[in-house]
């Protein structure tokens, strides 16, 4: 398996581009962007790069969006050797297209690759793959309020081989889907179900990797949450410390000015979370990443020490938590002003409405 040197630079790839002859018409595109939803309609093209032990990264291309031919013996279908990322492209008022902290997404994809025994895609190639797709599908980036183009880079083992080992042939793709406002009618607090029977990941497992198996393992608990009238599920580890939701990180605001987020080896490093924590620190809050037990959560809310709880992630950005529900209890959560204030600041930066003091934005269409 290959690794990369974080300090090394690589020459740009030379992409072959095949245009989609059945690309969406202007009328169809306008119809989609009027109400894009999330992850249901895809752009006209996709990025495809191959990797092999002998050839390294090769055959970079942009091609029409469509089905991926896959051998029935492909390793991913049998041993789940796959990873993915989620990142957005934003249309600014001047028409330019930007993305947010892509170097962090690239680093997280590399970390996920190491854990799943996949090759690490250099940061330069990751960012170039986004630029190449935007170069042909930039018209799909919407300009409506809170709208964006959701980019989904993903990598999987495609070698046809039933032996249990790391695959020697891998595919990397980027697809994209226009995304509407996550909350129609404004941000609403969510009800969270406490799962005490199921675990999302365990110590030494793949919890820190962004791999499909983690999400698959959350689906049964999510179904349980829905049956209990809840919007999301929160998981605990073996020590009964809070981990994360099915696809979002959790943040606690204390009355003494501390902003605390759970930390463990089985929690995915949240880029949105870390950005929000930086903005909170800029305002003078004390930021802590540490284990926090479910008992500390419930007792902190009951005593008034915890004054706000919210979830955060790429799709929703920030979601206040309005209730924690479990077996035999339904506890309202305090609603404060910090979560929505941080959400406003972060989205203003992403859409170019506020100064980007940390240099987080990268223009993709230039």
């Amino acid at each position: 398996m290959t690794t990369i040197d974080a300090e090394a630079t690589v020459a740009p790839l030379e992409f072959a581009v095949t245009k989609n002859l059945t690309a969406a018409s202007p009328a169809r595109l306008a119809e989609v962007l009027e109400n894009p939803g999330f992850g249901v309609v895809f752009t006209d093209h996709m990025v495809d790069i191959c990797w092999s032990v002998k050839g390294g990264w090769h055959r970079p291309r942009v091609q029409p969006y469509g089905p991926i031919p896959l051998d029935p013996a492909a390793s991913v279908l049998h041993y789940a050797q796959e990873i993915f990322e989620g990142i957005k492209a934003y249309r600014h008022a001047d028409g330019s297209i930007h993305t947010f902290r892509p170097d962090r997404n690239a680093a997280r994809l590399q970390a996920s690759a190491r854990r799943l025994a996949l090759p690490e895609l250099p940061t330069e190639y990751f960012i170039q793959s986004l630029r190449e797709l935007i170069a042909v599908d930039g018209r799909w980036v919407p300009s409506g309020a809170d709208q964006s183009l959701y980019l989904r880079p993903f990598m999987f083992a495609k070698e046809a081989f039933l032996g249990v080992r790391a695959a020697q042939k891998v595919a990397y793709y980027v697809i994209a889907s226009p995304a509407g406002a996550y909350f129609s009618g404004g941000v609403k607090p969510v009800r969270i179900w406490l799962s005490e029977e199921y675990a999302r990941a365990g110590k030494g497992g793949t919890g820190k990797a962004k791999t499909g198996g983690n999400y698959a393992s959350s689906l049964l608990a999510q179904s349980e949450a829905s049956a209990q009238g809840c919007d999301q599920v929160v998981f605990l580890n073996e020590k009964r410390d809070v981990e994360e939701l099915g696809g979002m990180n959790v943040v606690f605001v204390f009355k003494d000015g501390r902003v605390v987020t759970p930390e463990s080896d089985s929690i995915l490093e949240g880029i949105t979370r870390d950005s929000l924590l930086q903005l909170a620190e800029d305002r003078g809050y004390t930021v802590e990443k540490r284990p926090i037990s479910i008992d500390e959560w419930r007792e902190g809310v009951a005593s008034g020490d915890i004054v706000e709880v919210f979830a955060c992630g790429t799709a929703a950005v920030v979601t206040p938590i309005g209730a924690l529900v479990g077996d035999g209890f339904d506890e309202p959560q305090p609603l404060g002003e910090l979560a929505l204030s941080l959400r406003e600041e972060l989205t203003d930066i992403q859409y170019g409405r506020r100064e980007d003091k940390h240099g987080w934005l990268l223009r993709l269409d230039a």
Side-chain angles (χ1 to χ4, degrees), residues 210-278:
K210 198 167 178 67
T211 181
N214 295 340
Y215 295 79
S217 67
S218 74
L219 297 179
L220 185 57
Q222 180 61 52
S223 297
E224 185 179 69
S226 298
Q228 298 292 333
C230 294
D231 306 285
Q232 263 286 358
V233 59
V234 62
F235 294 96
L236 307 178
N237 65 15
E238 68 279 1
K239 297 179 181 178
R240 291 183 59 78
D241 291 332
V242 178
E243 293 277 271
E244 60 178 272
L245 307 190
M248 303 176 76
N249 296 114
V250 187
V251 179
F252 302 89
V253 182
F254 286 73
K255 69 178 181 182
D256 62 4
R258 288 177 296 142
V259 177
V260 180
T261 190
E263 183 175 51
S264 85
D265 291 337
S266 52
I267 294 178
L268 182 70
E269 292 288 345
I271 297 166
T272 300
R273 180 200 65 177
D274 289 352
S275 303
L276 293 166
L277 294 179
Q278 179 63 63

Side-chain angles (χ1 to χ4, degrees), residues 81-341:
Q81 196 183 4
E82 69 82 37
I83 56 176
F84 67 96
E85 271 299 322
I87 188 170
K88 290 179 177 179
Y90 307 90
R91 175 89 61 189
H92 286 195
D94 63 0
S96 61
I97 301 170
H98 299 252
T99 192
F100 183 74
R101 307 190 77 177
D103 55 322
R104 290 290 306 277
N105 288 90
R108 191 168 65 180
L109 188 74
Q110 291 156 8
S112 296
R114 285 193 295 274
R115 183 61 184 86
L116 271 293
L118 288 163
E120 295 178 45
L121 183 75
T123 299
E124 294 92 337
Y125 291 173
F126 179 87
I127 293 175
Q128 187 183 2
S129 71
L130 306 183
R131 291 187 188 276
E132 296 286 346
L133 188 57
I134 290 298
V136 295
D137 279 345
R139 69 191 186 118
W140 283 85
V141 182
S143 57
D146 282 339
Q147 293 184 342
S148 60
L149 183 68
Y150 182 81
L151 298 158
R152 170 55 65 87
F154 62 101
M155 185 188 304
F156 63 87
K158 68 176 182 181
E159 182 183 5
F161 177 73
L162 295 182
V164 183
R165 60 158 170 77
Q168 298 181 359
K169 292 183 179 180
V170 168
Y172 169 79
Y173 287 86
V174 184
I175 59 175
S177 175
Y182 192 87
F183 298 99
S184 57
V187 181
K188 302 178 181 66
V190 294
R191 291 170 59 81
I192 302 296
W193 172 254
L194 174 63
S195 177
E196 300 196 67
E197 181 177 357
Y198 304 109
R200 173 186 164 274
K203 183 176 177 59
T206 59
K208 268 203 166 182
K210 198 167 178 67
T211 181
N214 295 340
Y215 295 79
S217 67
S218 74
L219 297 179
L220 185 57
Q222 180 61 52
S223 297
E224 185 179 69
S226 298
Q228 298 292 333
C230 294
D231 306 285
Q232 263 286 358
V233 59
V234 62
F235 294 96
L236 307 178
N237 65 15
E238 68 279 1
K239 297 179 181 178
R240 291 183 59 78
D241 291 332
V242 178
E243 293 277 271
E244 60 178 272
L245 307 190
M248 303 176 76
N249 296 114
V250 187
V251 179
F252 302 89
V253 182
F254 286 73
K255 69 178 181 182
D256 62 4
R258 288 177 296 142
V259 177
V260 180
T261 190
E263 183 175 51
S264 85
D265 291 337
S266 52
I267 294 178
L268 182 70
E269 292 288 345
I271 297 166
T272 300
R273 180 200 65 177
D274 289 352
S275 303
L276 293 166
L277 294 179
Q278 179 63 63
L279 296 179
E281 194 172 69
D282 292 346
R283 298 184 184 192
Y285 286 88
T286 299
V287 170
E288 297 180 6
K289 293 182 180 180
R290 62 169 176 82
I292 181 166
S293 70
I294 186 60
D295 292 334
E296 182 181 359
W297 178 354
R298 296 180 66 186
E299 291 167 5
V301 169
S303 68
D305 285 338
I306 294 177
V307 295
E308 196 171 353
V309 189
F310 62 89
C312 53
T314 301
V317 187
V318 170
T319 309
I321 294 177
L324 177 65
V325 183
D327 188 13
F329 67 88
D330 186 335
E331 299 172 351
Q333 301 296 292
L335 298 174
E337 299 179 353
L338 182 61
L340 295 185
S341 176

Side-chain angles (χ1 to χ4, degrees), residues 278-279 282 345 349 354-361:
Q278 179 63 63
L279 296 179
D282 292 346
E345 182 177 0
I349 293 170
R354 191 179 301 216
E355 182 184 357
D356 175 21
K357 296 180 180 179
H358 294 283
W360 287 337
L361 293 177

